[in-house]
Amino acid sequence: MVCRVCKRELDSPICSFCGEDNSAYINAPQNKTGSSSVAKPDTRKKSDFKKGIKPDKKKVKIDFKKLVRLVAAIVVVVLAVIIVKNFLFAPKKETPTASKQLFSSGMLGVYSGGEWGFVTSSDLSDFAIVPQFRTVTSFCNGIAFAYIDGKYAMINEYGQLLTEPQYDSVGAFSDNGFIPVKKDDKWGYIDTDASFVVEPKFSTAAAFAGKDMAAVSVNGSYGYIGKDGEYKIAPQFDMAMDFSSDGYAAIKSDGKWGYIDADGTTVIEPQFDEAHIFDSGYAVVKKNGDYGVIDTEGNFVVEPQFDDYFEYNKDGLSVVRVGDKYGLIDNNGEYAVNPRYRDLGTFGDTKLAYACTSDGKYGFIDKNGSFVIEPKYESAGNFSMGIAPVKKDGLWGYIDSEGKEVIKFDYTYASQFYSEGYAVAGDALGAVMLIDINGNNMLGADLNVDEIMYKTVR
């Protein structure tokens, strides 16, 4: 055996001449010629490759343990990315809400001991204004009106008089801050400082609405004024309604209703028995005894065929009445659910509406008219904040969208929930409560409220 470096004879694996360690060389398997099979350096020239001489292939040894660990790591990373993506970008489940308000400017009129006062949404434990007035209006922009000794006075949120009692009547508050008031048998407008911005000179006066104009009348004829009190459209109509955001107002002339624009130009000839305000390009009208829907050019998008006024939903379903039965139509006037219910509510945040069968039982249907909650209640109201009031055995309680009881049947009446998170309910003794979503009475125990100023909303 010779040294693989200096080619001298070896007497041990370590060459005594050059010091090379030939252990691996000596122990390597021998080929048929007796030479070692240890790979030698590739001394071929680049030209050899061009001639088609291929280099020896080396065998690759795979570490399966490392491979398994690598694959596992990749799987973990991919799963983590998916989870994070779903968490950050997946649609969030919305919490059911209510759209209708109970309080106005944070104040709510309450009737106790024969007089009206107020509580606030921030503190229901006691009266913010002790009941002391015969009649009150709702608050708006921090002011309201109270009836004292036969006249109305302006009050603030503490119940203090901002004016002497001097107004015969008060109209609806305008968005521009003007308030129609009647004084000495004429209507005019004051601002929130109680200063007259339009002197009293009209027979009637409505609130300022679209186009910043208000409908007024003098001697039975209606027209429209601007903020300066001057006529924008001279009195000439039998009746007049507010301008809508669409820029049209319904007017009555010679016994029929039509529509004008802000210049007073007739845009839809008077031809209807009734005409209601435009909303997003559509208005409900009555013609030849039936109700339908027109667009801003006066064309019917829903032919007159219904027996009662209805709120048209251009983006969904509308509740309509034919005879004594209620059904649902789409925005083209086609029946989504044929009229077959004695009573029918609107679809709330749970996509369910109450419906009354021919035998007088209430349940809840989906938009196909199928009962999701079987009709077994004596009455019912709309869903709001995910629950709905229902009446059973003479008392009201609340159920969820699966028909499960969530607030006990303890009330003589119960409203839907409002956006502040409260509903109005009455107890067995006739007292009025404001309950939360858990059925707790949030009014102070000593308030003894007999009535609350709110619009009944089923």
Side-chain angles (χ1 to χ4, degrees):
M1 183 71 66
V2 296
C3 176
R4 62 189 300 267
V5 175
C6 65
K7 306 303 180 181
R8 295 177 181 272
E9 289 291 331
L10 294 174
D11 53 2
S12 70
I14 305 299
C15 180
S16 59
F17 182 81
C18 67
E20 174 68 12
D21 186 353
N22 292 277
S23 299
Y25 178 74
I26 295 171
N27 296 327
Q30 302 295 310
N31 58 25
K32 293 182 179 180
T33 60
S35 63
S36 171
S37 61
V38 173
K40 298 180 181 180
D42 191 351
T43 59
R44 289 173 295 176
K45 301 177 183 179
K46 291 183 179 179
S47 59
D48 293 334
F49 290 94
K50 295 181 180 179
K51 295 176 182 178
I53 301 174
K54 298 180 180 179
D56 294 336
K57 293 183 179 180
K58 296 183 180 180
K59 294 183 179 180
V60 179
K61 185 177 181 182
I62 300 175
D63 190 331
F64 288 99
K65 290 185 178 180
K66 289 183 178 181
L67 180 61
V68 170
R69 287 196 293 268
L70 178 61
V71 172
I74 293 173
V75 171
V76 170
V77 171
V78 171
L79 289 175
V81 170
I82 293 173
I83 292 171
V84 171
K85 181 180 178 181
N86 288 339
F87 177 77
L88 292 177
F89 302 106
K92 303 295 183 182
K93 184 178 181 180
E94 296 182 0
T95 301
T97 59
S99 60
K100 298 183 180 296
Q101 289 185 326
L102 181 63
F103 289 76
S104 179
S105 291
M107 307 287 287
L108 178 65
V110 292
Y111 189 72
S112 178
E115 294 180 313
W116 285 93
F118 289 87
V119 294
T120 66
S121 58
S122 59
D123 183 8
L124 298 174
S125 63
D126 202 355
F127 294 114
I129 300 176
V130 176
Q132 56 188 290
F133 306 114
R134 177 180 168 184
T135 303
V136 293
T137 69
S138 295
F139 267 87
C140 183
N141 298 325
I143 62 172
F145 289 84
Y147 193 74
I148 305 171
D149 298 329
K151 299 286 185 179
Y152 283 91
M154 184 185 290
I155 63 173
N156 64 16
E157 293 170 319
Y158 303 100
Q160 299 167 333
L161 298 186
L162 299 178
T163 68
E164 293 299 318
Q166 57 184 295
Y167 308 111
D168 302 323
S169 188
V170 180
F173 286 65
S174 305
D175 290 339
N176 63 8
F178 288 6
I179 308 162
V181 294
K182 186 178 183 181
K183 188 175 184 179
D184 299 329
D185 206 35
K186 293 293 182 180
W187 284 86
Y189 295 84
I190 61 173
D191 58 19
T192 54
D193 293 327
S195 300
F196 270 101
V197 290
V198 178
E199 291 297 320
K201 56 185 176 181
F202 307 109
S203 302
T204 63
F208 280 82
K211 299 299 180 181
D212 219 8
M213 295 196 294
V216 297
S217 72
V218 175
N219 300 324
S221 293
Y222 285 78
Y224 294 86
I225 61 169
K227 291 179 64 176
D228 57 2
E230 299 299 320
Y231 285 109
K232 300 295 184 183
I233 301 173
Q236 57 191 285
F237 308 112
D238 301 334
M239 288 287 290
M241 297 177 65
D242 294 338
F243 273 91
S244 69
S245 58
D246 295 84
Y248 301 119
I251 50 86
K252 187 178 183 180
S253 182
D254 295 329
K256 293 293 183 181
W257 286 87
Y259 291 87
I260 61 172
D261 63 17
D263 295 324
T265 303
T266 299
V267 291
I268 300 175
E269 290 294 330
Q271 57 189 287
F272 307 111
D273 305 329
E274 291 180 20
H276 297 266
I277 193 167
F278 267 93
D279 182 13
S280 300
Y282 302 96
V284 176
V285 296
K286 183 180 182 181
K287 190 171 186 178
N288 299 326
D290 292 323
Y291 289 86
V293 181
I294 59 171
D295 60 20
T296 53
E297 296 181 353
N299 300 315
F300 276 102
V301 294
V302 176
E303 292 294 326
Q305 56 189 294
F306 307 110
D307 293 327
D308 201 358
Y309 169 78
F310 60 96
E311 293 186 6
Y312 177 67
N313 184 356
K314 68 180 182 64
D315 298 317
L317 302 179
S318 304
V319 179
V320 295
R321 180 172 69 86
V322 177
D324 61 351
K325 301 294 184 182
Y326 291 86
L328 296 168
I329 60 168
D330 61 22
N331 54 13
N332 295 316
E334 300 296 329
Y335 281 111
V337 177
N338 291 332
R340 59 174 182 260
Y341 304 109
R342 286 175 52 177
D343 194 6
L344 185 58
T346 57
F347 286 93
D349 52 26
T350 57
K351 310 303 181 186
L352 298 177
Y354 67 79
C356 181
T357 59
S358 58
D359 61 357
K361 295 296 183 181
Y362 282 79
F364 290 85
I365 62 171
D366 60 20
K367 292 184 178 181
N368 296 316
S370 300
F371 275 102
V372 177
I373 299 176
E374 292 303 313
K376 58 182 179 181
Y377 301 105
E378 298 160 16
S379 190
N382 287 321
F383 269 94
S384 181
M385 295 186 69
I387 62 178
V390 291
K391 186 179 182 181
K392 181 177 68 173
D393 299 329
L395 292 175
W396 288 82
Y398 292 83
I399 60 172
D400 63 17
S401 59
E402 295 180 351
K404 297 178 182 178
E405 178 185 319
V406 292
I407 298 179
K408 292 182 179 180
F409 289 81
D410 289 337
Y411 309 108
T412 54
Y413 62 88
S415 76
Q416 74 170 59
F417 273 84
Y418 291 82
S419 60
E420 297 88 352
Y422 306 119
V424 181
D427 68 10
L429 299 177
V432 176
M433 299 178 286
L434 282 184
I435 60 173
D436 64 11
I437 202 74
N438 297 312
N440 301 312
N441 182 19
M442 305 305 291
L443 289 175
D446 299 327
L447 295 192
N448 298 319
V449 173
D450 302 312
E451 190 176 344
I452 285 178
M453 184 185 295
Y454 78 108
K455 295 180 179 180
T456 301
V457 183
R458 294 182 64 191

